[in-house]
């Protein structure tokens, strides 16, 4: 029985039992029913009603108490004076409120491919957007599977953006088995359009390497969803496709009346299904359920051609034999006949769309050559990888909106899932490390991303950095991983969602800001760009100052000029070496026994870079030391003091820089029988210490050891510089034919698992961001005067060649740029389509490094 039927049945029962003159089923005696004893009935009814009323009031108070209590516990309801500091925004004007981010700039970036977690998706930069996307039926193990979210497990031969300008154009290729799907996105602007303009999607589906006589069918699913719940109107000709159809239309405050059309010259079959739901993260499940039901009932693989009342989501199945091409134009701001709908549709379909896409392709190529000047330096294959690197970096930019979960202990129960408060609702426009595996914002990754992006489009970089700085809380802390919104949350295991306000992340945004300052000094910007950078720094400087102060107080060590990463677990019994997730280098070995006596050389160097950057900002803006009590010039001099650095971190026997802490090398993982909480016996790998730890330098040579070299603190005439060059180029330690490995081959932790389930991550594999930083300093020391100039140049030349050659080789062998590369064979490892900092390969190709 349906809900409506149950409600009407209850109504009929109640109506008949209390109908006038009916004795049947009544609970009252006949004398009372016939009008006798009316006073008794009145008093009894009053008492009964009073009891009910009092009970309802008490129940209401209890409900209100629990609701308010829960709202308070999660930071949704606070008196401003009592709101916990950790969820209080920084009290300064927002960077994104600057006039440079309003008007034409804001509108020009309104629509975009801002859904990096799906194979193809379009949305606007607004919290409750109209959202478009693509699914298709793939085949795996002779079974149909739905492709929607980017997944490593999907085993596509290759996918990713071949061209993307970050603003109004992109072309992507997805290859699965014998089918190639090419998606193109382009925007159109002009007078009389809705906010953000019109846009169009072209989808080309073709065979891969098959004879044209071999025909196969493809099933695509294009969808529109309104996150705000606005009702969508199904077009009248959606079922009878004759080359052109109005699929769906609607109205929104932001873009006015709008329409989505489908046009194709191919013979196609179309079906649809409409849903009403506030969630779109489970949309592919809804489609599969609908298809499965239809297949069981009718033996057909097609949507049901039905829709729920007030549907805010429509999915359109488009099926045909390969090859076929479809154009899907979006028209907005429609106001009657004056809107020239047909003319606008014509301009975004067929030959006019082909011409527009060709023009955008030519503009992309021209800008690529202008920005990176590679044509005379590299062959066509290398140039192709360079184009893929920048295209995927820009095509991976996303827009997110939601509230971070911030750890605040409220329960004494271990493992309580209620120990968090919600950050304020916030939006984030950001690049992402990897669409299949890390399709969200990561703080320390973003600084590396922007080293590449600003060279392509300075305004996009300022917009992204501004969004990140507006996430600063009153203490000067920024959550390091941004998991905003239901779609993002659906991709992350629950234990990794909550962010810890005691933990930092390398402040790499200072890298790009210092790079922009140097670009101003070298006159790389036109006047308007320079003015915008200066305006940005003027507004952002107070936030950057607070961010620095947070690090300089919360992460400071016991000794002057020392720092250590917080967040290491000193109680773990299962990790060989407790991870330092806050450092970004995760399982890179630190002191075996975490303590407040630690001194981390990488964080010390990050703080030097940050202080130097802040000093450069104050100089540029004429605000020397007016931002805070901190004298940034003095701090930068202290942290770059070569003698002090050596006293704290240099081991003359190794000729290397190390962390300092409570350490012993005599730690192992051993198998042990453990009684679990449920009383069952299990066999686990647990950590066992065989020697007493001592305060000393931690003898693990690797990326961390070269931070003083990367920060160029070592004087160019120092013999210690030669020691670093020898360590870098030693094949028995760090050198490989594919790049520098992350941990010395001589380390006791080299390629060791950290737990039963954690494979080595930063304990051997080759990472592009650290290789780029080391290469950058090799380049620096090869052009400054000093006795090791030629040696630096020789190492630089060979390392650069090795890195480029290996990334290019892997790309053409596997179809992807990878997260990391194998320390022995150079093969791609980790997640694929990792076009975050691995895209720095393009800057290595162009020999474009921060001056610093």
């Amino acid at each position: 029985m349906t809900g409506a039927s149950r409600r009407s049945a209850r109504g009929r029962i109640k109506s008949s039992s209390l109908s006038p003159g009916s004795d049947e089923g009544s609970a009252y005696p006949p004398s009372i029913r016939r009008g006798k004893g009316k006073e008794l009935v009145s008093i009894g009814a009053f008492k009964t009603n009073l009891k009910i009323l009092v009970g309802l009031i008490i129940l209401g108070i209890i409900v209100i108490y629990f609701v308010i209590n829960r709202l308070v516990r999660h930071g949704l309801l606070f008196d401003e004076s009592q709101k916990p500091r950790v969820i209080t925004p920084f009290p300064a004007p927002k960077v994104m409120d600057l006039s440079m981010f309003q008007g034409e700039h804001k509108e020009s970036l309104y629509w975009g491919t801002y859904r990096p977690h799906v194979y193809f998706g379009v949305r606007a930069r607004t919290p409750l957007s109209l959202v478009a996307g693509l699914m298709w039926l793939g085949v795996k193990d002779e079974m149909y599977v739905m492709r929607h979210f980017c997944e490593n497990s999907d085993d596509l031969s290759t996918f990713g953006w071949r061209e993307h300008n970050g603003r109004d154009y992109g072309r992507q290729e997805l290859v699965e088995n014998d089918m190639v799907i090419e998606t193109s996105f382009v925007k159109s602007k002009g007078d009389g359009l809705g906010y953000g303009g019109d846009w169009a999607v072209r989808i080309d589906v073709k065979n891969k390497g098959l004879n044209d006589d071999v025909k196969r069918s493809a099933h695509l699913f294009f969808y529109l969803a309104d996150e705000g719940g606005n009702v969508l109107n199904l077009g009248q000709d959606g079922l009878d496709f004759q080359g052109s159809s109005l699929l769906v239309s609607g109205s929104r405050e932001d873009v006015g009346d709008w329409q989505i059309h489908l046009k194709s010259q191919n013979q196609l079959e179309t079906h649809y299904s409409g849903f009403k739901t506030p969630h779109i993260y489970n949309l592919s499940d809804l489609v599969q359920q609908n298809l499965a039901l239809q297949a069981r009932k009718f033996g057909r693989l097609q949507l049901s051609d039905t829709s729920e009342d007030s549907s805010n989501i429509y999915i359109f199945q488009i099926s045909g034999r390969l090859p076929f091409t479809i154009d899907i134009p979006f028209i907005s701001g429609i106001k009657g006949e004056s809107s020239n709908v047909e003319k606008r549709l014509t301009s975004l379909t067929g030959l006019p769309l082909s011409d527009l896409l060709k023009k955008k392709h030519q503009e992309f190529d021209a800008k690529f050559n202008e920005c990176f000047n590679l044509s005379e330096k590299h062959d066509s294959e290398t140039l192709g990888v360079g184009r893929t690197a920048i295209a995927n970096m820009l095509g991976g930019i996303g827009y997110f909106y939601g509230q971070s979960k911030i750890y605040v202990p409220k329960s004494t129960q271990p493992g309580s899932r209620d120990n968090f408060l919600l950050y304020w609702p916030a939006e984030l426009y950001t690049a992402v490390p990897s669409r299949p595996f890390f399709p969200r914002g990561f703080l320390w990754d973003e600084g590396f991303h922007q080293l590449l992006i600003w060279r392509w489009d300075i305004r996009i970089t300022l917009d992204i950095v501004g969004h990140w700085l507006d996430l600063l809380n009153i203490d000067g802390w920024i959550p390091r991983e941004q998991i905003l919104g239901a779609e993002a949350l659906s991709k992350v295991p629950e234990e990794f969602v909550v962010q810890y306000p005691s933990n930092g992340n390398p402040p790499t945004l200072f890298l790009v800001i210092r790079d922009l300052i140097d670009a101003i000094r070298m006159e790389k910007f036109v006047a308007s760009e320079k003015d915008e950078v200066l305006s940005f720094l003027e507004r952002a400087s107070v936030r950057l100052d607070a961010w620095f102060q947070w690090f300089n107080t919360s992460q400071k060590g016991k000794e002057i000029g020392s720092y250590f990463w917080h967040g290491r677990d000193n109680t773990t019994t299962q990790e060989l070496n407790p991870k330092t997730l806050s450092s970004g280098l995760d399982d890179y070995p630190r002191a075996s026994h975490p303590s407040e006596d630690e001194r981390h050389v990488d964080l010390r160097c990050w703080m030097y870079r940050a202080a130097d950057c802040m000093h450069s900002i104050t100089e540029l803006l004429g605000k020397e030391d007016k931002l805070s009590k901190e004298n940034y010039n003095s701090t930068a001099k202290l942290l770059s003091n070569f003698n002090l650095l050596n006293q704290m971190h240099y081991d003359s026997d190794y000729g290397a820089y190390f962390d300092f802490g409570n350490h012993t090398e005599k730690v192992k993982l051993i198998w042990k029988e453990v009684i679990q909480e449920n009383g069952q016996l299990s066999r686990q790998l647990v950590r066992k210490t065989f020697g007493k730890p001592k305060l000393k330098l931690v003898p693990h040579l690797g990326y961390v050891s070269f931070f003083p070299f990367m920060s160029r603190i070592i004087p160019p005439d120092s013999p210690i510089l030669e020691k670093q060059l020898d360590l870098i180029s030693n094949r028995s330690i760090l050198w490989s034919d594919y790049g520098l490995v992350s941990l010395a081959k001589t380390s006791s932790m080299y390629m060791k698992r950290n737990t039963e389930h954690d494979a080595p991550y930063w304990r051997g594999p080759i990472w592009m961001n650290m290789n780029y930083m080391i290469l950058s300093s090799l380049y620096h020391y090869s052009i400054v005067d000093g006795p090791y100039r030629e040696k630096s140049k020789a190492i630089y030349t060979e390392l650069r060649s090795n890195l480029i050659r290996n990334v290019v080789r892997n790309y053409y062998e596997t179809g992807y740029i990878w997260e990391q590369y194998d320390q022995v064979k150079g093969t791609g490892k980790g997640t694929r389509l990792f076009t975050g900092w691995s895209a720095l390969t393009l800057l290595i190709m162009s020999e474009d490094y921060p001056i610093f």
Side-chain angles (χ1 to χ4, degrees), residues 111-114 119-122 160-174 181-188 199-204 353-354 356-365 387-388 390-397 435 456:
W111 290 107
T113 55
Y114 302 140
Y119 284 114
F120 178 80
V122 178
W161 295 100
R162 301 298 177 251
E163 298 168 358
H164 204 298
N165 64 13
R167 288 186 171 269
D168 61 8
Y169 165 71
R171 182 179 66 84
Q172 181 182 217
E173 190 175 70
L174 307 113
I181 302 175
E182 185 176 276
T183 65
S184 298
F185 171 77
V186 68
K187 286 158 52 174
S188 173
W199 48 263
V201 175
R202 170 167 285 179
I203 304 173
D204 281 304
L353 178 57
S354 298
L356 179 58
L357 292 172
K358 182 178 180 181
K359 177 186 175 186
K360 291 295 181 181
H361 158 72
Q362 292 169 344
E363 289 175 354
F364 175 84
D365 271 356
R387 287 189 181 90
T388 293
I390 186 63
N392 280 290
M393 176 72 84
L394 295 167
I397 292 174
R435 288 171 60 197
W456 179 270

Side-chain angles (χ1 to χ4, degrees), residues 806-818:
N806 190 58
V807 171
V808 171
R809 174 181 66 86
N810 270 276
Y811 178 78
Y812 286 102
E813 287 180 358
T814 68
Y816 296 100
I817 294 174
W818 291 82

Side-chain angles (χ1 to χ4, degrees), residues 627-646:
L627 283 173
S628 71
K629 297 178 182 178
E630 186 73 34
N631 185 321
Y632 285 111
N633 190 32
S634 298
T635 302
K637 286 181 178 178
L638 170 70
L639 296 178
S640 61
N641 184 302
F642 190 49
N643 292 329
L644 183 60
L645 170 71
N646 292 340

Side-chain angles (χ1 to χ4, degrees), residues 423-666:
Y423 226 44
W424 61 88
E427 59 181 354
L428 180 62
Y429 171 66
T430 184
V432 303
S434 167
R435 288 171 60 197
F437 207 75
F438 302 111
R440 54 193 177 277
F442 286 80
L443 182 53
W444 95 291
D445 294 63
E446 202 54 38
F448 291 109
H449 297 165
Q450 297 312 314
L451 288 175
L452 178 57
I453 290 176
W454 85 255
R455 288 164 166 83
W456 179 270
D457 191 320
I458 179 60
R459 291 179 177 89
I460 289 180
T461 283
L462 296 179
D463 199 313
I464 288 175
V465 176
H467 272 89
W468 275 99
L469 292 179
D470 281 347
L471 294 172
L472 195 83
N473 76 2
I474 194 171
D475 292 322
W477 174 72
I478 302 174
R480 72 183 186 92
E481 186 174 348
Q482 295 293 319
I483 310 164
L484 305 177
E487 282 196 291
L489 282 166
S490 70
K491 299 280 287 181
V492 182
E494 187 176 348
E495 62 267 28
F496 298 115
V497 170
V498 176
Q499 304 296 297
Y500 290 78
S502 60
N503 299 354
N505 216 203
T508 57
L509 296 182
F510 284 112
L511 286 179
V512 67
I513 290 170
R514 175 57 196 268
D515 211 17
L516 297 180
I517 293 171
D518 289 334
I520 288 176
R521 290 170 174 165
M522 297 180 67
E523 300 182 345
K524 290 186 176 182
F525 296 127
V526 299
S528 60
E529 292 173 335
K530 177 183 175 181
D531 290 344
E532 288 188 348
V533 174
L534 291 173
S535 176
F536 176 90
L537 292 175
E538 184 77 36
R539 175 66 64 88
S541 59
V542 65
R543 291 177 177 270
L544 292 167
D545 173 61
W547 196 30
F548 179 92
Q549 296 306 326
W550 180 86
F551 273 99
N552 203 35
T553 54
S554 69
Q555 310 292 295
K556 183 168 278 190
K558 290 185 175 180
E559 303 291 330
I560 295 176
S562 70
Y563 300 87
F564 71 99
W565 296 109
H566 286 50
R568 301 188 71 208
D569 185 355
N570 60 6
T571 64
T572 181
T573 60
Q574 296 188 324
E575 293 183 274
L576 179 62
N577 187 274
K579 289 191 293 292
T580 317
L581 295 174
S582 53
S583 75
L585 303 178
D586 295 13
D587 67 343
Y588 187 97
R590 309 281 182 162
S592 61
H593 290 67
S595 70
E596 293 188 357
D597 293 305
E598 285 188 85
R599 302 198 293 259
H600 292 143
V601 65
D602 54 333
L603 181 51
R604 187 184 196 278
C605 292
W606 283 122
M607 293 304 296
Y608 161 58
R609 284 180 175 272
D612 182 76
C613 179
M614 288 304 301
H615 175 60
S616 296
I617 291 173
T618 59
E619 276 191 325
L620 189 67
L621 300 179
K623 292 184 175 183
E624 283 87 350
D625 305 323
K626 294 178 183 178
L627 283 173
S628 71
K629 297 178 182 178
E630 186 73 34
N631 185 321
Y632 285 111
N633 190 32
S634 298
T635 302
K637 286 181 178 178
L638 170 70
L639 296 178
S640 61
N641 184 302
F642 190 49
N643 292 329
L644 183 60
L645 170 71
N646 292 340
Q647 289 172 26
M648 285 188 170
H649 291 286
Y650 187 67
D651 188 313
S652 57
D653 292 335
Y654 282 89
Y657 292 96
F658 295 126
D659 287 340
F660 177 89
N662 201 26
H663 182 73
T664 176
E665 286 286 282
K666 297 179 179 180

Side-chain angles (χ1 to χ4, degrees), residues 136-140 143-147 176-177 179 219:
W136 75 92
L137 280 180
V139 178
K140 185 173 183 178
M143 301 266 302
Y144 279 115
V145 287
M146 186 65 73
R147 306 301 193 202
E176 179 169 14
N177 299 325
M179 182 173 67
H219 301 279

Side-chain angles (χ1 to χ4, degrees), residues 218-230:
H219 301 279
L220 307 183
F221 300 84
F222 191 85
Y223 62 86
L224 266 293
D226 192 304
E227 292 180 318
N230 294 304

